[in-house]
Amino acid sequence: MAKNIVVIGAGVAGLTTALLLSRKSGYKIVVAAKHMPGDYDIEYASPWAGANYMPVSITGTDAAEWDKNTWGPLEDLARNNPGAGVHFQDCEIHNRTKDVGSATAEWFKELLSSNPWFAKVVPNFRALPKEALGPGIDSATVFTSVCINTAIYLPWLVSQCLSNGVIFKRAIFDHILDATASGIHPNGNVDLVVNCTGLMASKLGGVQDTTVVPARGQIVIVRNDAGKMLDMSGTDDGDEEACYVMTRAAGGGTILGGSYQKGNWESQPDPNLAIRIMKRAVKMCPALTDGKGIEHLDIIRHGVGLRPVREGGTRIEKERIGGVLVVHNYGAGGAGYQSSYGCAQAAVDLIDQAWNVQAKL
Ligand code: FAD
């Protein structure tokens, strides 16, 4: 008999978990969420992401394993599935010696290394020659990465799930066990709940994980083309600010970032921060405006998203709450896309273990 599963959450974590589950026999899946692809809301991180593959996970950790296991599926989408809105793009990591010891440089430690674990995973990892570096840059690496147009990719995930029989519905749960109430799953009883509520796991009854906090990311989306992705080891504007640029696939515009403001829930863009973001981006990537100033940036929109950062990293665990089996997959911080397939597969493995369901061949 098929097992009835409710996945709470339609961000990249919930959708990827539902997709991998739906490729197996033995599960009847409902995705229930307050926000769905197409929505833009401060409680919904996924649409705001760049999103690219730029691992900051440390060698030997679960996080590095999840990132590693995600490269293959993303590479496959970029190579073989243009409808997913994922494309290859070179990613340059610029390193300033003066940032050593700063919070950003600590967070980026592995990324800034000349020999990170992912050098053997992504194609074409290499150091840039000194003469290719801009003023103030002491070293740089470059590799082939992917950039995901989230406005295409999230609906694509939904459509893949729908094709595999997944049911989608809007619902707001005060308590995780509300997902087992009658009327949520068409088959009646619910055998297992998958918790992919991101930052809001901090408020969801039965979970209330207060170790999940927002890391506020402000962005500017412009029509200008950067031609590549760039990221800097730090800024001269404090540890809560960041500098990165990436051009999304299929006309998705270029994302200029950003910030990493921990504990800050503010949903409205800060205009002063927006100016700093644009100035830093144009300085790091003069190709954006042919060497001209920020008045030559053609702004599509300003945005703010909250990364669901969890002390101790993403929670992928099995738990029994009020007698109901729950598998958690939340708290991916700034890595929800680049770890999506690895995390979802780890969650699916836990679900399979509950009933020893064999993969459909
Ligand atoms: P969310 O997308 O927040 O989804 C949560 C879901 O749960 C929503 O559907 C919500 O409605 C639902 N939900 C929550 N509570 C309830 C409830 N009580 N009842 C019903 N439904 C509920 N990651 C990368 O890998 N690469 C990047 O380049 C990148 N760049 C980023 C840039 C910015 C500016 C930001 C903000 C994030 C970035 N990230 C990036 C991080 C990435 O966006 C997140 O890690 C990821 O989106 C988290 O996805 P999620 O599915 O866990 O949560």
Side-chain angles (χ1 to χ4, degrees):
M1 255 237 314
K3 298 291 181 189
N4 300 331
I5 297 194
V6 174
V7 178
I8 311 178
V12 68
L15 296 176
T16 314
T17 307
L19 177 60
L20 297 193
L21 274 176
S22 74
R23 288 177 178 161
K24 301 185 143 219
S25 54
Y27 297 125
K28 186 70 195 162
I29 304 146
V30 170
V31 173
K34 182 175 177 185
H35 304 99
M36 292 282 175
D39 300 348
Y40 285 88
D41 193 279
I42 199 64
E43 291 180 9
Y44 187 30
S46 293
W48 301 109
N52 72 356
Y53 186 89
M54 207 185 67
V56 294
S57 50
I58 306 293
T59 317
T61 59
D62 284 345
E65 196 58 25
W66 296 325
D67 287 349
K68 185 165 144 244
N69 293 341
T70 302
W71 173 254
L74 291 182
E75 183 183 36
D76 181 57
L77 289 176
R79 197 176 299 289
N80 300 316
N81 212 321
V86 180
H87 71 168
F88 290 114
Q89 206 169 54
D90 273 357
C91 185
E92 286 184 12
I93 311 296
H94 292 188
N95 203 349
R96 309 186 307 176
T97 309
K98 67 174 171 182
D99 293 325
V100 171
S102 71
T104 310
E106 281 303 301
W107 173 40
F108 280 4
K109 210 169 195 156
E110 187 80 22
L111 180 68
L112 296 171
S113 147
S114 58
N115 188 22
W117 62 262
F118 59 87
K120 296 183 195 70
V121 175
V122 294
N124 306 317
F125 184 93
R126 61 201 186 278
L128 278 178
K130 270 253 179 269
E131 56 276 14
L133 308 181
I137 308 303
D138 299 296
S139 63
T141 51
V142 61
F143 55 94
T144 303
S145 180
V146 291
C147 185
I148 301 166
N149 182 343
T150 62
I152 295 177
Y153 184 59
L154 294 170
W156 181 84
L157 286 173
V158 173
S159 106
Q160 296 298 299
C161 287
L162 286 170
S163 300
N164 291 349
V166 175
I167 295 166
F168 283 82
K169 27 177 90 166
R170 295 271 181 176
I172 302 175
F173 302 116
D174 291 331
H175 193 283
I176 192 160
L177 296 183
D178 296 347
T180 64
S182 71
I184 300 294
H185 203 292
N187 290 6
N189 70 305
V190 173
D191 297 299
L192 189 143
V193 175
V194 189
N195 173 22
C196 299
T197 52
L199 178 60
M200 299 317 283
S202 59
K203 311 247 191 234
L204 181 65
V207 180
Q208 287 178 328
D209 184 344
T210 52
T211 69
V212 194
V213 296
R216 182 178 182 277
Q218 183 167 322
I219 53 170
V220 185
I221 308 182
V222 297
R223 293 187 178 81
N224 309 58
D225 199 330
K228 58 187 171 185
M229 299 191 276
L230 298 102
D231 204 282
M232 188 74 89
S233 56
T235 76
D236 297 330
D237 299 311
D239 270 343
E240 290 201 319
E241 301 202 13
C243 181
Y244 62 88
V245 163
M246 63 184 91
T247 300
R248 283 175 169 176
T254 297
I255 308 289
L256 314 181
S259 66
Y260 194 89
Q261 298 163 296
K262 247 178 140 179
N264 187 335
W265 289 79
E266 178 53 55
S267 64
Q268 295 309 303
D270 167 353
N272 292 322
L273 174 53
I275 298 281
R276 292 197 293 279
I277 287 171
M278 291 188 281
K279 281 189 170 164
R280 292 192 295 253
V282 163
K283 188 170 173 207
M284 176 174 70
C285 182
L288 272 171
T289 50
D290 288 331
K292 297 179 189 144
I294 62 168
E295 62 280 12
H296 292 272
L297 288 171
D298 187 354
I299 298 170
I300 300 170
R301 102 171 66 89
H302 296 269
V304 177
L306 303 179
R307 303 171 181 91
V309 175
R310 182 170 178 270
E311 216 175 276
T314 310
R315 183 178 185 198
I316 300 179
E317 268 172 25
K318 204 156 51 181
E319 188 185 8
R320 218 170 249 285
I321 301 178
V324 175
L325 257 180
V326 172
V327 169
H328 300 284
N329 177 9
Y330 67 85
Y337 284 84
Q338 66 197 19
S339 65
S340 55
Y341 284 89
C343 288
Q345 189 54 55
V348 168
D349 289 347
L350 289 180
I351 296 164
D352 281 350
Q353 280 165 23
W355 298 294
N356 263 328
V357 174
Q358 295 303 311
K360 201 199 278 182
L361 294 174

